[in-house]
Amino acid sequence: MILIKNAYIYTMGEKNYEHGSLLIKDKKIEYVGPNLEEKDAEIVIDAKGKFVMPGMIDAHCHLGMWEDAVGFEGADGNEIVDPVSPELRAIDAINPMDRCFEEALLGGITTVATGPGSANVIGGQFSVIKTHGDRVDDMIVKETLAMKCAFGENPKRCYSDIKKSPSTRMATASIMRETLMKAKEYVQNKKKDKDAKFNMKYEALEKVINKEIPLKAHAHRADDILTALRIAKEFDLDITLEHCTEAHLITKYLKEGYQKGIVIGPTLSNRSKIELKNLTFETAGILEKEGIEFAIMTDHPVIPLQYLPVCAGLAAREGLKEDTALRSITINPAKILGIDHRVGSLEVGKDADVVIFDGHPFDLRSKVHKVIINGEIVK
């Protein structure tokens, strides 16, 4: 057992504790509340003057898919050969030996959704993993989280460069529709004919058609966000909206709530392409004022993963409430990823993923004192 005592505990649940304790047993949270004396604890951490919170969660990144300082050999996130590649799986490319996993821990990030990039119209399957381990199989929280798809500049740029469709937004939407129609037909035929011809692409999309997993839609510009929603509604699919750079321009449509989640970012970035011209840290605060729940992402390696709390802190500086900013990198992404029964808040029965800071996590001078994942002190 591990006992953390005398701490300011920010639970992301119903109540915080100014002088609290947290007890960990068998990889789970056994107790969180007012200070507790536990004589049987093997390890006691006196966290007086420190800030204890759930391990942070990045709902959209590419950790382990583009390895740090490696170049082509470590770039395994985009298969720019076929714009429809749903059969690709993140877990077959994630390298947990990438040093960015270590840096993620030093930043207090304990769980991430990681997967393919946005070169393809349909790019493959995202996974949710913990950030500690040396074999990805042992780090998995959810092997098949979502199906990555992309709208806007990236697919048209990547394929026009090789003289192949899509080179327009029309073609991206058309390819998406045709693929979903064929996948839907494939799923229907499978039910009727047990000997139906196997198709690996449509087999991978079956979970999308059956609404077992959502589309994870890359879309920065307002019209691309609305195109993603239009197609999801047309085929009655679940969808999460990723990046959403211009979300603050179309809040009245996002308030309709068809999407299963909104993940904004990376905002700590330059305007590297036209669809980022309205990039601003004010987006989060505007969404909050409109009552729209969201998470904040780094899109690592675009923004190094350890700067996730910096991104949330800058959003707070530009109008987002501090409490909401903390929720946007803990419980909100957990809800969007469908793993809030396990992580995202410090509550009894949840995974013991805990971060102890020596100061407030939004203070740039603060450092991580301890990181605990699955009840094990890993930093």
Side-chain angles (χ1 to χ4, degrees):
M1 286 194 293
I2 300 173
L3 175 66
I4 302 168
K5 65 179 185 178
N6 298 324
Y8 181 82
I9 302 178
Y10 211 108
T11 66
M12 307 299 166
E14 294 181 0
K15 189 175 181 181
N16 299 323
Y17 300 93
E18 191 171 346
H19 301 287
S21 289
L22 188 143
L23 184 65
I24 296 167
K25 183 180 179 182
D26 299 329
K27 300 183 180 182
K28 300 290 183 180
I29 297 171
E30 178 85 1
Y31 170 88
V32 58
N35 257 340
L36 174 75
E37 289 297 328
E38 176 52 68
K39 296 179 181 178
D40 294 331
E42 292 94 352
I43 300 172
V44 178
I45 301 170
D46 189 341
K48 186 176 181 180
K50 294 181 171 60
F51 191 101
V52 176
M53 65 178 290
M56 287 178 273
I57 302 169
D58 194 325
H60 181 122
C61 71
H62 309 284
L63 181 63
M65 306 287 289
W66 274 271
E67 296 169 50
D68 191 58
V70 176
F72 174 79
E73 174 54 29
D76 288 307
N78 278 320
E79 183 76 7
I80 313 176
V81 176
D82 183 348
V84 178
S85 302
E87 70 278 15
L88 305 181
R89 303 188 308 166
I91 62 166
D92 298 322
I94 297 167
N95 181 9
M97 303 298 183
D98 177 14
R99 68 178 179 185
C100 291
F101 281 87
E102 181 81 6
E103 292 176 342
L105 292 175
L106 292 172
I109 293 86
T110 57
T111 302
V112 300
T114 185
S118 50
N120 294 323
V121 178
I122 301 177
Q125 302 160 44
F126 257 66
S127 296
V128 183
I129 61 171
K130 299 286 180 81
T131 54
H132 174 69
D134 53 17
R135 184 175 70 164
V136 71
D137 308 71
D138 302 322
M139 300 158 70
I140 290 170
V141 178
K142 185 180 281 191
E143 182 174 321
T144 308
L145 164 71
M147 184 64 69
K148 179 67 179 292
C149 62
F151 298 85
E153 288 186 35
N154 286 13
K156 58 178 281 187
R157 182 185 68 250
C158 290
Y159 281 91
S160 62
D161 285 349
I162 58 174
K163 308 299 181 185
K164 188 175 180 180
S165 186
S167 61
T168 64
R169 282 175 166 82
M170 289 186 297
T172 296
S174 175
I175 290 169
M176 176 69 76
R177 280 194 176 92
E178 180 183 16
T179 303
L180 291 172
M181 287 175 183
K182 288 181 177 179
K184 193 171 183 178
E185 183 180 41
Y186 176 85
V187 171
Q188 291 170 345
N189 287 342
K190 267 185 67 176
K191 292 177 182 177
K192 298 174 185 176
D193 181 6
K194 292 181 180 180
D195 298 319
K197 187 177 179 182
F198 177 82
N199 184 296
M200 194 168 182
K201 292 181 187 292
Y202 302 144
E203 196 74 23
L205 284 166
E206 184 173 5
K207 287 185 177 181
V208 176
I209 298 300
N210 291 338
K211 299 178 80 167
E212 295 172 39
I213 62 170
L215 291 170
K216 193 172 182 70
H218 166 110
H220 285 279
R221 216 167 73 176
D223 59 330
D224 293 324
I225 296 169
L226 295 174
T227 296
L229 282 174
R230 184 182 311 119
I231 291 175
K233 289 178 181 178
E234 183 180 328
F235 287 89
D236 186 27
L237 305 175
D238 288 339
I239 189 169
T240 62
L241 301 172
E242 315 288 318
H243 303 299
C244 293
T245 299
E246 294 188 352
H248 58 284
L249 302 180
I250 52 171
T251 56
K252 65 179 179 180
Y253 304 114
L254 297 178
K255 284 173 74 172
E256 294 174 2
Y258 185 84
Q259 69 279 348
K260 295 295 181 182
I262 294 174
V263 187
I264 59 174
T267 316
L268 187 62
S269 177
N270 70 324
R271 296 175 181 88
S272 58
K273 47 189 177 180
I274 294 171
E275 63 187 11
L276 300 182
K277 67 179 181 179
N278 288 312
L279 185 75
T280 173
F281 274 107
E282 294 177 3
T283 300
I286 293 170
L287 293 184
E288 179 189 38
K289 288 171 186 174
E290 293 294 331
I292 301 170
E293 201 166 84
F294 59 89
I296 289 175
M297 67 150 103
T298 62
D299 202 24
H300 175 94
V302 178
I303 305 302
L305 192 58
Q306 63 267 31
Y307 298 129
L308 181 61
V310 176
C311 295
L314 288 170
R317 188 188 70 180
E318 297 304 321
L320 183 64
K321 291 178 183 175
E322 184 179 289
D323 178 70
T324 308
L326 286 166
R327 293 179 70 82
S328 73
I329 53 176
T330 53
I331 191 62
N332 286 4
K335 289 178 180 177
I336 291 169
L337 301 176
I339 55 173
D340 54 305
H341 62 292
R342 288 187 57 180
V343 294
S345 63
L346 301 178
E347 297 179 84
V348 173
K350 287 195 174 185
D351 292 4
D353 292 358
V354 185
V355 178
I356 306 174
F357 280 91
D358 62 13
H360 195 286
F362 293 164
D363 186 334
L364 293 178
R365 298 167 296 180
S366 296
K367 289 187 176 181
V368 167
H369 175 69
K370 287 277 192 301
V371 180
I372 300 169
I373 295 181
N374 295 328
E376 177 186 354
I377 298 173
V378 296
K379 275 293 157 212

